[in-house]
Amino acid sequence: VLSRFARPPEIIFVTAFEQHAVEAFELQAVDYLLKPVRPERLSDAIRRLGAPARQAGEDDSAEADLDRIAVETGGRTRMVERDSIRYVEASGDYVRLHTDDGAFLVRMPISALEDAWRDAGFVRVHRRYLIAIRDITELRTRPGGGYDLVVAGQELPVSRRHARELRDRLSRTPGRGRRAGG
C-alpha cells in the first residue's frame, strides 16, 4: 500500500520482534526499534525523519559522485553506470533512469543527479528531464517558438527556462553525437 503513495510517509517501526527488520528496510523504513525503547535511541530515529533518502548499500562517496546507482530489479540489486544512462525522467520523489537496457526506477530527487552530473555532460532541459548531451540526436524548433530534443529515439520537451543553458552547453560540446541512428 505504501509504495502506491506519490510521497510515502516516513516510518519508524517499533516492535518486540527483530525478525521483521529486513522487510521493514525493504519498505524504506527510516529505522527499526526494538522494545523496550531507550529514549536516546528514539531521539536518534526521530532526527533521521526528513533526512535525504539513501539507497541501500550506498556509502558517502557513492552519494557524492553517483557514478553508479544501485537499482532493484527482479529481486536483485543491479549497478547502473552513469555512462549508460541516456536521460533521466522525474516522477514525484523518484527518477526513472533510461538506458539501452531499459528503464529503472530509483527513489531520489532529480535535482541531486543534476548537481552531481553537471560536469559529466548532463543538462537539465525541463523540470522532468535531465539528459546526456552526448545522446542528443536532434534539436527541433517548435512552431511558435521553443524546442524539442530527440534523445535515444524519444522526443523530449525543452522548457523555456532551460533553453538558454542547453544552447550554451551544446555550443561548447564538440562531437556530441554518439552514433548515427543511435
Side-chain angles (χ1 to χ4, degrees):
V1 171
L2 294 176
S3 67
R4 288 185 243 150
F5 280 76
R7 299 194 98 195
E10 294 182 304
I11 297 172
I12 297 172
F13 283 83
V14 180
T15 180
F17 305 99
E18 64 184 36
Q19 67 265 29
H20 301 293
V22 172
E23 288 177 86
F25 287 110
E26 286 174 353
L27 294 172
Q28 305 297 320
V30 173
D31 210 334
Y32 192 89
L33 305 178
L34 291 174
K35 294 179 182 177
V37 178
R38 295 185 332 265
E40 63 275 3
R41 184 74 176 87
L42 179 60
S43 293
D44 288 344
I46 290 171
R47 263 195 297 278
R48 281 196 277 282
L49 290 172
R54 180 180 286 188
Q55 295 299 311
E58 269 187 18
D59 62 15
D60 291 339
S61 63
E63 191 171 312
D65 60 10
L66 297 170
D67 287 340
R68 295 166 32 136
I69 297 179
V71 298
E72 296 293 326
T73 178
R76 294 181 178 179
T77 300
R78 174 179 172 183
M79 299 305 292
V80 174
E81 299 287 334
R82 179 184 59 208
D83 292 343
S84 71
I85 298 168
R86 301 289 192 101
Y87 66 98
V88 178
E89 179 180 7
S91 181
D93 292 340
Y94 292 81
V95 292
R96 189 172 305 277
L97 309 173
H98 292 269
T99 71
D100 289 337
D101 296 332
F104 306 97
L105 195 63
V106 178
R107 185 174 182 187
M108 74 171 43
I110 195 169
S111 58
L113 294 178
E114 177 184 11
D115 294 341
W117 291 358
R118 180 173 286 117
D119 294 336
F122 283 77
V123 65
R124 186 83 171 259
V125 297
H126 188 274
R127 66 182 168 81
R128 288 190 59 201
Y129 297 104
L130 177 68
I131 58 97
I133 293 173
R134 69 179 183 274
D135 291 317
I136 297 172
T137 54
E138 287 184 49
L139 177 62
R140 300 176 181 163
T141 305
R142 276 189 232 131
Y147 299 99
D148 289 318
L149 290 171
V150 177
V151 177
Q154 294 294 313
E155 190 170 305
L156 306 175
V158 176
S159 70
R160 290 181 184 181
R161 177 179 169 211
H162 294 97
R164 172 175 238 144
E165 181 184 0
L166 174 64
R167 286 192 311 266
D168 291 348
R169 295 282 300 268
L170 288 174
S171 69
R172 294 189 314 247
T173 307
R176 60 180 157 60
R178 183 181 269 194
R179 58 186 175 269

